[in-house]
Amino acid sequence: GAPLLLLNIANTLKHKFGKNIILLTLVGGVLQKNFEEFCTVINLHQSSLLEINNKKLVNELFCVLAAKKVSFALGNTVCSAFFVPFLERYQFTYRILVHELPNVIERFGWNKTVLPFLFNMVNGPAVYSSKYVLNAHNSTYSKQPLKLAIISQGMFQNVQNTINTVAKLKLIKKYDLPANVKIIFNGSNDLFRKGADIFYEIAKLVTSKRDDVVFIYLCDKKSLKYKLMFGSESFDSHQIIFDEFSDDYLLYLEGSDVFALTSREDPFPNVLLDSLAHGLPLIAFDNCGGAPDLLREINEVLIAKTLDINDFADKILFLLDNDVVYKNISNRSIQLIRDNYQFDQYVSRLIL
């Protein structure tokens, strides 16, 4: 999620704001070729994200950049705070985007290596992706950054602003579904954090009460994570479908009726904005991520009690049984994203 977000920030900065961009990366990644379309990429080719290995080289890079009048930097993810001493030394203005929750930070040991830099930034704020992420940090760490802000990301997908009947027909044909089917959708490879097992348990509850509902979850079924979670579990292929990832992600958003965000924790997922922009109601657990802060602006019915699968199932059934409420939520979702979560607006807030 974070690299894809940064790629779209780079694209917008170049083509909408006319900026020349230099990307300084510790390890590169699968999107490096994509970044090279918008940026001059300097890859340090480190073996890990645990520290900056060649501080002398990095210092020389920042010295050259400062001499060329480069004066603003945007750091993506908390480990970009490794660069803070150099940003301060050469008097850059900067922002550090913080997406990670404390358990991720501590898994990498960044609480000891990176957070001291984050907490002592002078020339720029730490920008948290949601109130949920900031609250999680405040409850875990005794210190805060000297400057901070909460800026929820904007939506960078090109969406249709409507549930698409053509897309629904394509899904019906692909999976041989009945014409009156209601489709509940989700998907991820991070199966435990995203709650694929919870999705399955909710699917069993809902399909036991309605035979016109089908649950579809996209993931890598050949992965070890999938095998460890589900083993040789036998699914009812007519109503609960676990399928391989599709390149046509938007087809599922446009053709589904509800997005079931069953995550155990999710700072501010891209799919939240993508779904709502389509008018696709999204249900999430309370206290499990940044989604409820936005969903409360639409309707409380989209928020299930914390990790309560029965309440989540009841929320799905309520939406499917109440057309007027469903349409109001759909229309309100589209308008909210259109008014407050455009990507150009988001990038503008980051750089101004």
Side-chain angles (χ1 to χ4, degrees), residues 158-340:
N158 181 22
V159 301
Q160 300 296 321
N161 290 337
T162 182
I163 301 300
N164 188 319
T165 54
V166 174
K168 170 67 79 67
L169 290 173
K170 288 181 179 179
L171 292 177
I172 287 172
K173 182 178 180 180
K174 178 173 182 177
Y175 294 106
D176 192 22
L177 304 176
N180 66 335
V181 68
K182 301 295 185 183
I183 297 174
I184 316 300
F185 173 57
N186 196 346
S188 174
N189 273 335
D190 193 350
L191 298 181
F192 181 78
R193 186 171 69 86
K194 296 287 189 175
D197 54 331
I198 297 173
F199 182 89
Y200 178 53
E201 294 301 323
I202 291 169
K204 289 195 293 184
L205 290 172
V206 173
T207 56
S208 70
K209 297 178 180 179
R210 288 187 59 152
D211 59 9
D212 62 338
V213 178
V214 169
F215 282 70
I216 300 175
Y217 196 100
L218 301 184
C219 61
D220 181 2
K221 294 177 65 176
K222 295 184 287 295
S223 70
L224 179 61
K225 289 181 180 179
Y226 181 87
K227 293 174 182 176
L228 289 173
M229 178 170 283
F230 294 112
S232 58
E233 184 78 46
S234 176
F235 298 122
D236 177 357
S237 61
H238 297 295
Q239 286 192 268
I240 305 175
I241 300 168
F242 278 69
D243 197 6
E244 297 293 336
F245 268 118
S246 168
D247 291 335
D248 201 354
Y249 158 71
L250 293 182
L251 172 68
Y252 289 83
L253 291 184
E254 292 169 14
S256 296
D257 296 275
V258 176
F259 193 100
L261 185 68
T262 52
S263 302
R264 290 176 166 88
E265 60 176 28
D266 220 334
F268 197 86
N270 294 331
V271 73
L272 170 65
L273 301 180
D274 296 343
S275 298
L276 298 180
H278 280 87
L280 175 62
L282 179 145
I283 300 174
F285 288 119
D286 204 6
N287 302 312
C288 291
D293 291 338
L294 191 158
L295 296 176
R296 284 191 171 89
E297 299 183 54
I298 301 171
N299 195 310
E300 288 279 347
V301 76
L302 300 175
I303 306 169
K305 296 174 184 176
T306 307
L307 297 179
D308 185 332
I309 62 172
N310 291 288
D311 189 49
F312 202 115
D314 288 343
K315 294 286 195 292
I316 292 174
L317 292 167
F318 178 83
L319 282 180
L320 298 182
D321 289 338
N322 290 273
D323 287 343
V324 173
V325 175
Y326 185 101
K327 289 176 181 177
N328 285 339
I329 287 174
S330 181
N331 292 333
R332 172 64 180 147
S333 300
I334 292 169
Q335 193 63 48
L336 182 67
I337 301 303
R338 183 182 294 152
D339 291 346
N340 300 322

